[in-house]
C-alpha cells in the first residue's frame, strides 16, 4: 500500500512561485505514473499535470502550460510540481496521485483520467492573492 503525502502549499502573491512535493511511503515510485490534480471551491477535481512512469512524457492542462513543471525523483520516491507565475485562478487544493504503470512499456504515456489512479494524497492548499 503506497501512501502519498503532499507538502509545499501555502499563500503566495500573484506572480510568485511554489514547489509542491509528493512523498511516497510503503513503496517506490519507479513504476508509477504520477499526476497532480486540483480542486477549487465549488468545482470538480481537474488534472493539472501528469508524468509517465519513466518520465519520458508529460501532460499539462492548457491553463498551466509554460508555468508549471511536473517531475519525479524515483530515488527519493517523490514527485514535484514546480509552479511559477502563479495567478489567483490557480487557487485550489492540490492533490497528487499515483498510477501503477508496470515499468515495462517505455512508450506508455501519462495517465490523464483521475479514475485510473490507484493512490491519492490528502491534498495541500495553494492560495494565490492578487
Amino acid at each position: 500500500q503506497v501512501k502519498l503525502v503532499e507538502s509545499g502549499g501555502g499563500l503566495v502573491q500573484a506572480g510568485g512561485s511554489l514547489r509542491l512535493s509528493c512523498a511516497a511511503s510503503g513503496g517506490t515510485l519507479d513504476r508509477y505514473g504520477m499526476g497532480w490534480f486540483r480542486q477549487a471551491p465549488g468545482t470538480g477535481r481537474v488534472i493539472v499535470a501528469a508524468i509517465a512512469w519513466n518520465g519520458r512524457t508529460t501532460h499539462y492542462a492548457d491553463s498551466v502550460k509554460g508555468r508549471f513543471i511536473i517531475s519525479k525523483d524515483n530515488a527519493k520516491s517523490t514527485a514535484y510540481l514546480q509552479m511559477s507565475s502563479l495567478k489567483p485562478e490557480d487557487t485550489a487544493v492540490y492533490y497528487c496521485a499515483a498510477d501503477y504503470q508496470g515499468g515495462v512499456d517505455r512508450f506508455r504515456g501519462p495517465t490523464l483520467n483521475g479514475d485510473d489512479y490507484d493512490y491519492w494524497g490528502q491534498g495541500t492548499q495553494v492560495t494565490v492573492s492578487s
Side-chain angles (χ1 to χ4, degrees):
Q1 186 82 4
V2 174
K3 181 179 179 182
L4 303 175
V5 178
E6 301 98 335
S7 61
L11 174 64
V12 64
Q13 288 189 329
S17 299
L18 283 175
R19 188 177 79 158
L20 304 184
S21 298
C22 174
S25 60
T28 61
L29 294 181
D30 56 319
R31 298 185 181 189
Y32 285 84
M34 300 298 296
W36 285 94
F37 294 75
R38 68 186 181 189
Q39 186 169 18
T43 68
R45 189 166 55 191
V46 297
I47 190 167
V48 175
I51 187 168
W53 68 275
N54 57 1
R56 182 184 175 94
T57 54
T58 56
H59 167 85
Y60 296 94
D62 288 343
S63 59
V64 307
K65 280 180 182 176
R67 299 189 298 122
F68 290 11
I69 299 174
I70 186 172
S71 62
K72 61 194 295 267
D73 185 333
N74 291 332
K76 295 182 178 180
S77 293
T78 301
Y80 303 95
L81 185 67
Q82 178 67 49
M83 306 186 295
S84 303
S85 302
L86 284 161
K87 305 175 181 180
E89 51 263 44
D90 294 319
T91 296
V93 177
Y94 284 71
Y95 300 88
C96 70
D99 170 40
Y100 184 74
Q101 293 189 321
V104 175
D105 181 0
R106 63 191 183 101
F107 296 106
R108 183 166 178 172
T111 301
L112 305 184
N113 189 336
D115 292 339
D116 293 331
Y117 281 83
D118 302 302
Y119 303 103
W120 290 84
Q122 83 289 347
T124 185
Q125 176 71 46
V126 172
T127 303
V128 184
S129 63
S130 58

